[in-house]
Amino acid sequence: MQADKEDEEDVCPEEFVTLCDFTGSGSEQLSFSSGDKLLVHAKPTSEWWWAELRGVAGYVPASYLRPDGAEEEEEEEEDEDEEDTSLLDPWQDEEYFGSYGTLKLHLEMLSDKSRTEAYRQVIRSNSASLTNKVVMDLGCGTGIISLFCAQLAQPSVVYAVEASSMAEYTRQLVKQNGCEEVVTVFQGRAEEIELPDQVDVLVSEWMGNCLLFEFMVESVLLARDRWLRDGGVIWPSSAALTLVPCQADSYYREKMGFWERPYGLDFTPLQPLAHQEFFTKPKFSHLIEHNDCLTAPCDVICLNMYTLQVKDLEEIKGQFHFCVEKPGVFHGFTAWFTVFFESLEAGGATVELNTGPNSEPTHWKQTLFMLDRPVRVCAGDLIGGTILLRRNPVWRRHMTVTLHWNINCSTEETDHSQVGTKTFPMWR
Ligand SMILES: N=C(N)NC/C=C/[C@H]1O[C@@H](n2cnc3c(N)ncnc32)[C@H](O)[C@@H]1O
């Protein structure tokens, strides 16, 4: 990588000091360690600058730098700035693992019968093959999956790995349920802990909204590469993201229609604000009604957990071709995921956990992406396009979802915006 980039206007280079480590992703980003002195050549945007370190140049996140020579006032403010460095953690681990140190999220996940029973079914239907196996439960939380393993099968050992302070309680639950002979709890990040042995089975419940949000999947892939022995099994074994063009009439009326005539008054000047506030980001925990689907759903992304690589997570693209089955209003797209657990026995039945509208609801429910403008469609209209999940290069648990679509109407009289595109932050 050359130290200067012809198409960036060069400013006189300024020296900056880095506040923490940064691992660049892709060839364009420059990695550095905390305390490095960088030479900033250009500031093309407020977020990304073009800088050089020891003759190598690349983009760096501006928020990770402070002007060199500013350290004296920095020392004076050291105390109140102390907590700021935690804001610079691209993984936001303090906040993330802090949230899992309380019961709220564990109660939500454990109360999700579809989710929890699916994992119990996986253990139960593979109990014979789990005999004498070494199992790793990555991100075990309260240890529910590990306890199922110890209760319903005879593995030789289960390594229950949990980074949050919940691990202390997980140890108590293991003891309380008489599983301490089989289950060993390791408190720490899966990326950092040392296990006594390779594992035969790597099981984890890592899926976030829209499948990938939180990107815990990266930890699972790293653990697979480091701890899963050759021929070992990873659960889930594969995952699919499903999309469907849909109506969302009640949501649209609730958030946008409301301003037409509240109490006989015209509040429509607030509609642009409502659009910005309610339709710019995806709507999590959306419950799509079956008859809101304008077409049959389509799997747009399929992930094989044996071959998926961390670098593949930067950008994942899918395509779709829908044929509208009934007239209606195309308000947006709804997405959900399904994960599959292959049997340990050759030819055994695959267990699946489907979070879509035709299955028992889960705590994820579905995710709704609202278009800027609803479009009336007729049966026979074709909605084709692409979906792009692009991981945030700085905030590593976040991504954007970009949808491109075009509508080929089967008849002429209906009004149509033929082509559309929209990018949704999740959440950065
Ligand atoms: N979002 C869904 N579905 N599940 C979130 C489930 C997250 C649980 O896994 C733990 N966890 C997440 N990442 C790691 C890691 N790298 N090492 C150890 N424990 C981890 C969290 O602290 C939660 O207890």
Side-chain angles (χ1 to χ4, degrees), residues 192-204:
E192 288 145 16
I193 46 104
E194 285 298 323
L195 294 183
D197 204 343
Q198 294 286 88
V199 302
D200 301 303
V201 177
L202 170 54
V203 59
S204 180

Side-chain angles (χ1 to χ4, degrees), residues 127-180:
S127 61
S129 303
L130 279 168
T131 305
N132 297 331
K133 291 289 194 310
V134 178
V135 180
M136 175 182 191
D137 176 2
L138 194 163
C140 67
T142 54
I144 184 78
I145 298 173
S146 299
L147 295 173
F148 287 158
C149 288
Q151 192 188 45
L152 302 171
Q154 283 74 40
S156 66
V157 63
V158 180
Y159 303 138
V161 181
E162 172 53 47
S164 76
S165 56
M166 187 52 62
E168 294 306 312
Y169 292 96
T170 311
R171 284 197 182 90
Q172 292 180 41
L173 298 177
V174 167
K175 193 169 176 55
Q176 184 77 14
N177 289 279
C179 299
E180 64 273 35

Side-chain angles (χ1 to χ4, degrees), residues 222-239:
L222 293 174
R224 174 200 67 189
D225 295 346
R226 185 170 176 204
W227 296 111
L228 187 60
R229 67 160 184 72
D230 289 349
V233 166
I234 185 168
W235 280 335
S237 321
S238 61

Side-chain angles (χ1 to χ4, degrees), residues 49-215:
W49 293 350
W50 184 254
E52 175 196 344
L53 174 63
R54 295 186 280 276
V56 179
Y59 284 108
V60 295
S63 59
Y64 283 44
L65 313 180
R66 65 164 164 75
D68 190 15
E71 57 271 24
E72 49 277 5
E73 62 254 28
E74 193 76 8
E75 258 114 53
E76 281 141 38
E77 295 143 19
E78 196 70 313
D79 45 352
E80 68 260 24
D81 285 0
E82 207 75 317
E83 70 283 355
D84 286 2
T85 49
S86 71
L87 297 179
L88 288 176
D89 168 14
W91 284 88
Q92 303 166 284
D93 276 352
E94 200 169 313
E95 175 190 346
Y96 182 74
F97 292 122
S99 68
Y100 285 111
T102 62
L103 281 179
K104 179 173 180 287
L105 291 176
H106 297 289
L107 179 60
E108 181 183 35
M109 293 191 285
L110 290 169
S111 304
D112 180 344
K113 286 192 178 322
S114 302
R115 162 202 177 270
T116 310
E117 286 294 359
Y119 277 82
R120 177 151 68 173
Q121 181 54 30
V122 173
I123 306 306
R124 188 181 285 124
S125 57
N126 287 281
S127 61
S129 303
L130 279 168
T131 305
N132 297 331
K133 291 289 194 310
V134 178
V135 180
M136 175 182 191
D137 176 2
L138 194 163
C140 67
T142 54
I144 184 78
I145 298 173
S146 299
L147 295 173
F148 287 158
C149 288
Q151 192 188 45
L152 302 171
Q154 283 74 40
S156 66
V157 63
V158 180
Y159 303 138
V161 181
E162 172 53 47
S164 76
S165 56
M166 187 52 62
E168 294 306 312
Y169 292 96
T170 311
R171 284 197 182 90
Q172 292 180 41
L173 298 177
V174 167
K175 193 169 176 55
Q176 184 77 14
N177 289 279
C179 299
E180 64 273 35
E181 294 303 308
V182 173
V183 181
T184 307
V185 177
F186 293 77
Q187 177 161 9
R189 286 194 60 180
E191 292 85 342
E192 288 145 16
I193 46 104
E194 285 298 323
L195 294 183
D197 204 343
Q198 294 286 88
V199 302
D200 301 303
V201 177
L202 170 54
V203 59
S204 180
E205 194 280 79
W206 51 265
M207 300 76 71
N209 281 288
C210 230
L211 184 59
L212 293 174
F213 180 59
E214 291 177 28
F215 282 90

Side-chain angles (χ1 to χ4, degrees), residues 119-375:
Y119 277 82
R120 177 151 68 173
Q121 181 54 30
V122 173
I123 306 306
R124 188 181 285 124
S125 57
N126 287 281
S127 61
S129 303
L130 279 168
T131 305
N132 297 331
K133 291 289 194 310
V134 178
V135 180
M136 175 182 191
D137 176 2
L138 194 163
C140 67
T142 54
I144 184 78
I145 298 173
S146 299
L147 295 173
F148 287 158
C149 288
Q151 192 188 45
L152 302 171
Q154 283 74 40
S156 66
V157 63
V158 180
Y159 303 138
V161 181
E162 172 53 47
S164 76
S165 56
M166 187 52 62
E168 294 306 312
Y169 292 96
T170 311
R171 284 197 182 90
Q172 292 180 41
L173 298 177
V174 167
K175 193 169 176 55
Q176 184 77 14
N177 289 279
C179 299
E180 64 273 35
E181 294 303 308
V182 173
V183 181
T184 307
V185 177
F186 293 77
Q187 177 161 9
R189 286 194 60 180
E191 292 85 342
E192 288 145 16
I193 46 104
E194 285 298 323
L195 294 183
D197 204 343
Q198 294 286 88
V199 302
D200 301 303
V201 177
L202 170 54
V203 59
S204 180
E205 194 280 79
W206 51 265
M207 300 76 71
N209 281 288
C210 230
L211 184 59
L212 293 174
F213 180 59
E214 291 177 28
F215 282 90
M216 182 179 163
V217 63
E218 173 167 331
S219 307
V220 175
L221 299 183
L222 293 174
R224 174 200 67 189
D225 295 346
R226 185 170 176 204
W227 296 111
L228 187 60
R229 67 160 184 72
D230 289 349
V233 166
I234 185 168
W235 280 335
S237 321
S238 61
L241 184 72
T242 307
L243 202 66
V244 72
C246 68
Q247 297 198 139
D249 207 44
S250 48
Y251 184 64
Y252 187 82
R253 264 206 284 247
E254 178 196 334
K255 301 298 184 190
M256 192 55 69
F258 174 81
W259 310 105
E260 294 286 338
R261 211 106 194 93
Y263 308 99
L265 297 167
D266 178 351
F267 272 30
T268 50
L270 291 179
Q271 288 187 320
L273 220 56
H275 182 275
Q276 171 66 27
E277 191 170 327
F278 303 119
F279 296 169
T280 308
K281 293 188 174 176
K283 177 187 182 243
F284 280 1
S285 300
H286 180 65
L287 260 183
I288 184 172
E289 304 291 331
H290 181 76
N291 58 21
D292 282 341
C293 298
L294 291 166
T295 76
C298 166
D299 288 356
V300 291
I301 288 167
C302 296
L303 303 178
N304 177 334
M305 293 301 289
Y306 291 97
T307 56
L308 182 65
Q309 298 301 310
V310 171
K311 65 182 182 331
D312 302 334
L313 299 174
E314 294 311 309
E315 285 203 358
I316 302 180
K317 195 161 190 173
Q319 295 195 331
F320 50 81
H321 303 279
F322 297 110
C323 179
V324 176
E325 292 171 351
K326 61 183 182 182
V329 179
F330 174 27
H331 283 108
F333 291 95
T334 294
W336 62 87
F337 64 83
T338 303
V339 286
F340 303 88
F341 304 82
E342 64 174 357
S343 170
L344 286 178
E345 286 119 26
T350 294
V351 175
E352 73 175 60
L353 169 55
N354 186 322
T355 65
N358 296 332
S359 303
E360 281 303 304
T362 66
H363 76 282
W364 291 281
K365 300 189 180 83
Q366 292 90 41
T367 303
L368 171 64
F369 298 93
M370 289 294 273
L371 305 190
D372 285 340
R373 260 184 332 283
V375 181

